[in-house]
Amino acid sequence: MRLRAAAAAALLLALTACTTGPSLEDRGEVTAPPGDSKHLTIGSAGFTESDLLAQMYAQLLNRAGYQTSLITVANRELYEPALESGQIDVVPEYAATFADWLNARTNGPDAPPVGSPDLTTTMRALRRLATPRGLTVLDPGWAVDQNAFAVTAAYARRHHLRTLSDLGASGLKVRLAAGDECVQRPYCEPGLKKVYGIDITGIDPKGVGTTQAKRAVQSGQDQMVLTTTTDATLDQFGLVLLADDRHLQNADYVVPVVNRARAGSERVTKALGKLNDVLTTADLASMNQQVDSWRRLAQDVARTYLRDKGLLK
């Protein structure tokens, strides 16, 4: 696998110069028959988990006979149009989040969300939005990176909490460490109140899953923190997740998205699909920990995982 810093820098400049993607008049060309380019560019959104997924995609495609290069473009407003135009060929995405993003881009920022807790419904909406843009959304596997809520293990034991329903039934007053947008997001404060009946007394705007937010819960300043299901550092703060037993959170399963004209072949689908059979949410959390806490390189962690699972020699 070749990592070309100069080429990546040049591509990034090109992306910033052209961020609109194909026009409606060109959509016929964009939805051309599936292509099978020999060299594929894998995009990463620049955070640990995205880097790991991009590395695994690249290594699996190398194994299948492709030449690959990687590029990091942290802004979806840049990398999605580049994916449409073929400057990027493959990216790891999250089903519900990407569906809602494409929906807003297609139908306007006030369009009702199309992502939902139901994976089948979410994938149907996502593919309906992606196909006219020349994008193919491959099948999801087991791994999901959803929003999640954690409390200290001691707090959970003391109040007999295993689920968010338990917390709602307890009547406990809860100060929540989260992003400031939590006040309005339906999956956050409004949903916790409506779906679970949790008494949220306030939002402590310390961000989503940040060290500062977790320390606030660890110290007792706050009672719960908004994080994600693949957060690998919860144990370090003595935190445990409460199960989303009424399915408030959307189906943010990991899905590869490819440019159909360049990477829509059955060979690409088969190579990337091998990951679906083995990759779990717990696996992602473990790999995130190896990179974030143990300071291992994402490329090495990805390679070790694929070898352990028999996907690489």
Side-chain angles (χ1 to χ4, degrees):
M1 181 170 48
R2 295 171 294 163
L3 302 176
R4 302 175 179 176
L11 178 55
L12 182 57
L13 288 173
L15 300 186
T16 59
C18 180
T19 62
T20 59
S23 66
L24 290 174
E25 292 80 4
D26 295 333
R27 288 285 157 80
E29 298 178 16
V30 174
T31 53
D36 195 25
S37 301
K38 294 180 180 179
H39 182 278
L40 299 175
T41 299
I42 318 299
S44 166
F47 56 94
T48 297
E49 188 169 291
S50 187
D51 289 344
L52 284 163
L53 289 164
Q55 287 285 352
M56 287 190 285
Y57 290 178
Q59 292 177 32
L60 288 170
L61 289 168
N62 290 156
R63 174 72 173 160
Y66 294 92
Q67 293 181 325
T68 63
S69 57
L70 289 104
I71 182 172
T72 297
V73 185
N75 190 325
R76 188 179 275 117
E77 282 74 14
L78 292 178
Y79 73 68
E80 190 280 332
L83 183 62
E84 290 187 29
S85 67
Q87 293 170 294
I88 293 175
D89 302 305
V90 185
V91 296
E93 264 292 358
Y94 300 92
T97 296
F98 195 43
D100 284 337
W101 191 88
L102 285 179
N103 185 47
R105 189 163 182 255
T106 302
N107 299 311
D110 296 326
V114 296
S116 81
D118 182 75
L119 178 59
T120 300
T121 301
T122 296
M123 288 297 295
R124 187 181 301 119
L126 175 54
R127 284 171 167 154
R128 184 176 64 247
L129 290 159
T131 298
R133 297 180 175 278
L135 306 180
T136 296
V137 182
L138 304 186
D139 289 339
W142 300 100
V144 57
D145 188 351
Q146 294 171 307
N147 295 297
F149 297 91
V151 299
T152 65
Y155 184 85
R157 285 194 301 271
R158 185 163 63 251
H159 299 290
H160 309 289
L161 307 177
R162 297 181 63 187
T163 69
L164 290 171
S165 289
D166 292 339
L167 181 57
S170 73
L172 292 165
K173 295 185 181 300
V174 175
R175 180 173 164 87
L176 176 63
D180 53 11
E181 72 278 2
C182 179
V183 175
Q184 298 179 329
R185 295 288 174 87
Y187 67 79
C188 204
E189 180 181 357
L192 291 173
K193 289 180 175 179
K194 180 179 179 180
V195 175
Y196 288 108
I198 297 173
D199 187 2
I200 304 294
T201 61
I203 301 299
D204 189 1
K206 286 184 165 60
V208 179
T210 63
T211 296
Q212 185 183 20
K214 291 171 193 170
R215 283 178 177 163
V217 177
Q218 182 184 38
S219 69
Q221 177 183 340
D222 300 327
Q223 287 71 54
M224 189 163 67
V225 59
L226 170 61
T227 182
T228 67
T229 52
T230 59
D231 189 329
T233 65
L234 294 177
D235 287 347
Q236 297 175 26
F237 298 90
L239 304 179
V240 294
L241 294 178
L242 296 181
D244 179 23
D245 54 309
R246 295 184 185 173
H247 306 292
L248 171 63
Q249 302 306 320
N250 282 343
D252 260 330
Y253 284 73
V254 175
V255 289
V257 182
V258 305
N259 177 286
R260 177 180 172 86
R262 288 183 49 81
S265 70
E266 182 63 27
R267 192 157 63 111
V268 169
T269 299
K270 184 177 180 180
L272 297 180
K274 291 179 179 179
L275 198 57
N276 284 354
D277 296 333
V278 298
L279 184 65
T280 67
T281 303
D283 290 341
L284 273 180
S286 175
M287 286 189 280
N288 286 339
Q289 182 180 41
Q290 292 176 57
V291 175
D292 291 338
S293 299
W294 303 356
R295 301 305 179 192
R296 294 188 62 195
L297 295 176
Q299 181 177 355
D300 295 339
V301 173
R303 182 183 297 109
T304 298
Y305 178 80
L306 294 176
R307 285 177 174 169
D308 288 346
K309 296 298 182 179
L311 301 182
L312 289 183
K313 292 183 179 179

